[in-house]
Amino acid sequence: MKLNLKKQVEPESFPVIDGYVRKENALWGWPALVILAASFLVVLPWCWQGVPSGHDFEFHLNSWMEVLGQWKQGILYPRWAAMANHGFGEPRFVFYPPASWMLGAALGAILPWKMVAGAYVWIALTLSGCSMFLLARSWLGRRDAIFAAAFYAANPYHLVIVYWRSAFAELLAAALVPLLVLGLLRAEEKGGKIILPLSLILAGVWLTNLPSAVMLNYSLALLLLVLAIRKRSPRGLFYGALAVMLGAALAGFYLVPAVYEQRWVDISSALWPGVRPQDNFLFTLINDPRHNRFNLLVSMVAMAELIALAGAALLSGRKREESATLWWMLIAWALAITLLLFPFTAIAWQYLPELRFMQLPWRWLLCLNVIFALLFAVGWRRWVPRILICVAMLIVLASGWLLVQPPWWEKARDFSNALADQQTGKGYEGTDEYLPVACDAYDVKPDAPPVTLENDGKAQIRMQEWAAEEKSFTAAVGEPGNLVLHLFTYPAWMATVNGQEAETDNQDNTGQLLIPVSAGENRVRVTLIRTPDQILGDGISAATVVCMLGWLRFSSRRRGLRSRA
């Protein structure tokens, strides 16, 4: 079979933003098949190697299993990870966005656990490719758009996420980045109508991955600024500000508790040495060999992409006559990202709002690959250089795999053991930044009974229920004292004794929940209540949805009146 290497003649040489022309963006057929195939090729080695167990793999797997278990208890939106910290719990689901753990749990409900991660990755990469196709097809020819979509789905940084990081929430957020750019570039045609789509995208990324949400909000501000300068109109900045506020308000049911309840946990642990921005610039070395090996790997990938991107930018710049605005937006975005990868921008990471909580500067590669895929498809229109560059990227990854840091692997028995640990109550290790204040996960006894009397007192305990968000039992004691629960204290826990609300406390050193009881038989019930901040967040989201629906209905009626006139 001969490979056709003749120069393709496409109807468009480069995305046209200044004169946007609507085209058919048919995703079904060859585009979908190519994207599905490219995504499948990423996970194909799992069939014989096992499942890659990256940095965050156990965190996500345990979360998925726990959420599915709580769904079976009738808890549709979990807040408390009951099996974390070996059954003492943590408010993990208050702080970690819900999209990834809901998708993982849903897949776990229909697939064996050893297949869930592969299905999740395949879905996330396919969605990423589809969103990139919609972006690229709006301005590029069909073949170039298919190439951009397939390359974006299986780009080098996605492979790092899949094989070394297991950052499943970040991978899912990659599907939203091209849609943000697509919505922005339609501002010229749609004007204020872009506010709603942009707000939905921003709400979606808040509910998927917090570092990605920070990146997209900063990216939106920069791109709108470039657009305003090029168009000599500040209207886009106003539309963008409204979209940011509406997006945050739509996600208020998650964001308000996540922000307010940070005072109840040790959130500062998220910036411990090793996971701080200053420890993770490209080619940074610290006193941790494992950290240094992975940092070298991701730095190699980043530098390979930056070099290829520079070439693509130069070649595509020659074809920007009718697309100067888009080209400058992408170049400004790429330059800002490139600067943030290196230590001389440490002051920005320290003082720009929330930027330090991204922790890892090379996370910006998630956005850089949108620029790379677009300019790659435009700069190199022939298949020979495209193939050669893709091969070069694979060689860089293979070198990192073989010479720097091989991936870690999970086998089928590892999934069975993880599930058994949750079903038997043994639980799993928690997350330091979600540990409630005054609690110590390293000072507790993992095999401690559910309820004991303080100071080794005698008590007859009869368990009635020990679920994720509700515990009930009776305790017969000879003298007044405090019951010590196999449960970390948290302000959302409310205890009643014989029908009366009890004033709880926490045990010194461990932070276990203490409930005072009197002599005799005590009927005790502990419930995870809805706190005022959660009620406020739900109200903000609900009110925002109602207002947006009302606005859509009003706009529809106004268009109807105009058409009849």
Side-chain angles (χ1 to χ4, degrees):
M1 184 176 71
K2 293 183 178 180
L3 186 65
N4 185 6
L5 301 178
K6 293 182 179 180
K7 182 178 179 180
Q8 298 176 15
V9 179
E10 295 289 348
E12 310 90 359
S13 62
F14 195 79
V16 179
I17 178 176
D18 302 90
Y20 176 81
V21 180
R22 185 182 299 275
K23 302 179 181 69
E24 182 182 1
N25 292 331
L27 183 57
W28 301 113
W30 278 111
L33 289 174
V34 172
I35 294 168
L36 288 167
S39 302
F40 179 73
L41 286 175
V42 172
V43 298
L44 182 60
W46 298 21
C47 296
W48 59 85
Q49 286 279 38
V51 179
S53 179
H55 301 154
D56 297 340
F57 184 80
E58 290 184 1
F59 174 90
H60 287 288
L61 178 65
N62 285 319
S63 296
W64 300 343
M65 290 179 172
E66 174 121 21
V67 170
L68 181 57
Q70 294 198 30
W71 283 353
K72 293 177 179 179
Q73 297 177 27
I75 304 170
L76 298 182
Y77 190 89
R79 290 173 290 155
W80 184 263
M83 290 293 104
N85 297 300
H86 303 290
F88 288 89
E90 67 183 22
R92 171 179 300 197
F93 304 121
V94 171
F95 300 99
Y96 205 85
S100 65
W101 47 258
M102 284 192 167
L103 176 57
L107 291 172
I110 58 177
L111 295 172
W113 283 111
K114 64 181 180 181
M115 297 178 60
V116 169
Y120 182 106
V121 168
W122 184 63
I123 290 172
L125 294 180
T126 299
L127 292 175
S128 296
C130 291
S131 64
M132 174 53 74
F133 177 80
L134 295 177
L135 171 61
R137 185 64 186 104
S138 296
W139 302 280
L140 296 178
R142 188 175 177 85
R143 289 185 181 180
D144 288 340
I146 293 174
F147 171 77
F151 179 80
Y152 181 67
N155 73 68
Y157 181 62
H158 283 179
L159 296 179
V160 171
I161 292 178
V162 169
Y163 281 92
W164 284 274
R165 295 193 59 219
S166 299
F168 294 114
E170 185 177 326
L171 190 67
L172 190 61
L176 296 171
V177 187
L179 297 181
L180 182 78
V181 181
L182 179 60
L184 259 182
L185 299 179
R186 289 183 173 177
E188 184 69 14
E189 178 198 15
K190 294 184 176 293
K193 294 179 182 178
I194 67 164
I195 296 173
L196 179 57
L198 284 179
S199 65
L200 292 174
I201 294 167
L202 291 171
V205 75
W206 278 121
L207 298 175
T208 303
N209 182 246
L210 288 181
S212 300
V214 173
M215 287 190 288
L216 259 66
N217 277 274
Y218 274 110
S219 298
L220 177 64
L222 175 63
L223 294 174
L224 283 172
L225 180 61
V226 176
L227 188 61
I229 293 172
R230 292 288 304 179
K231 295 297 181 180
R232 295 180 174 84
S233 172
R235 285 187 304 171
L237 294 173
F238 174 70
Y239 297 152
L242 284 178
V244 168
M245 291 187 290
L246 282 174
L250 284 171
F253 70 93
Y254 158 72
L255 279 177
V256 172
V259 172
Y260 182 81
E261 296 185 25
Q262 285 183 13
R263 67 197 70 190
W264 298 344
V265 298
D266 189 17
I267 200 67
S268 61
S269 295
L271 294 174
W272 277 6
V275 288
R276 301 173 301 179
Q278 60 265 39
D279 299 330
N280 290 280
F281 291 113
L282 297 190
F283 300 106
T284 297
L285 298 176
I286 64 173
N287 191 26
D288 184 344
R290 290 188 62 184
H291 168 279
N292 295 340
R293 286 196 298 271
F294 177 75
N295 185 272
L296 175 59
L297 170 72
V298 76
S299 297
M300 290 167 56
V301 171
M303 289 305 300
E305 290 196 5
L306 290 173
I307 292 170
L309 177 58
L314 289 173
L315 291 173
S316 61
R318 300 172 184 173
K319 309 171 185 178
R320 71 174 191 266
E321 292 80 7
E322 295 182 343
S323 54
T325 300
L326 173 60
W327 191 85
W328 281 113
M329 289 172 68
L330 295 177
I331 294 302
W333 196 14
L335 285 174
I337 291 172
T338 302
L339 293 175
L340 288 169
L341 297 177
F342 294 96
F344 52 79
T345 58
I347 190 170
W349 286 92
Q350 183 177 356
Y351 291 107
L352 287 178
E354 304 303 321
L355 192 60
R356 67 186 184 279
F357 284 103
M358 277 184 57
Q359 300 173 306
L360 314 170
W362 37 260
R363 274 178 165 154
W364 277 104
L365 294 175
L366 192 78
C367 294
L368 189 75
N369 278 293
V370 173
I371 309 166
F372 189 16
L374 282 174
L375 296 186
F376 189 6
V378 174
W380 285 284
R381 303 298 292 272
R382 295 178 177 272
W383 285 100
V384 170
R386 286 178 176 177
I387 293 171
L388 290 176
I389 291 172
C390 289
V391 170
M393 293 291 176
L394 288 175
I395 291 174
V396 171
L397 279 167
S399 299
W401 184 311
L402 297 173
L403 304 176
V404 180
Q405 179 61 74
W408 307 269
W409 302 94
E410 298 279 351
K411 302 299 182 181
R413 64 179 179 274
D414 298 314
F415 296 93
S416 301
N417 292 338
L419 183 61
D421 287 344
Q422 293 205 27
Q423 292 175 338
T424 59
K426 182 179 178 181
Y428 52 89
E429 292 185 1
T431 310
D432 290 336
E433 60 262 35
Y434 302 149
L435 189 67
V437 173
C439 297
D440 189 343
Y442 303 99
D443 203 31
V444 295
K445 297 179 180 178
D447 57 349
V451 184
T452 58
L453 189 61
E454 197 175 26
N455 299 322
D456 297 324
K458 293 183 178 181
Q460 292 182 347
I461 309 297
R462 287 183 294 174
M463 302 302 303
Q464 296 170 345
E465 183 178 16
W466 195 267
E469 295 187 356
E470 192 166 324
K471 332 280 184 183
S472 60
F473 54 90
T474 60
V477 299
E479 57 184 21
N482 289 320
L483 297 176
V484 184
L485 273 63
H486 191 111
L487 179 68
F488 280 143
T489 186
Y490 195 69
W493 287 116
M494 184 187 73
T496 60
V497 179
N498 297 324
Q500 300 296 316
E501 185 174 347
E503 186 175 348
T504 62
D505 200 355
N506 60 277
Q507 188 178 50
D508 293 339
N509 299 326
T510 66
Q512 291 174 253
L513 187 67
L514 297 180
I515 301 176
V517 292
S518 56
E521 185 167 282
N522 298 269
R523 291 177 287 107
V524 182
R525 192 177 193 87
V526 182
T527 307
L528 191 72
I529 63 171
R530 292 180 56 75
T531 52
D533 56 282
Q534 294 171 4
I535 296 171
L536 175 62
D538 290 349
I540 291 173
S541 293
T544 305
V545 170
V546 170
C547 290
M548 293 177 74
L549 291 175
W551 179 53
L552 286 173
R553 186 173 182 182
F554 171 76
S555 300
S556 178
R557 285 185 175 182
R558 188 171 61 176
R559 286 195 300 270
L561 290 174
R562 286 179 179 176
S563 63
R564 287 195 294 269

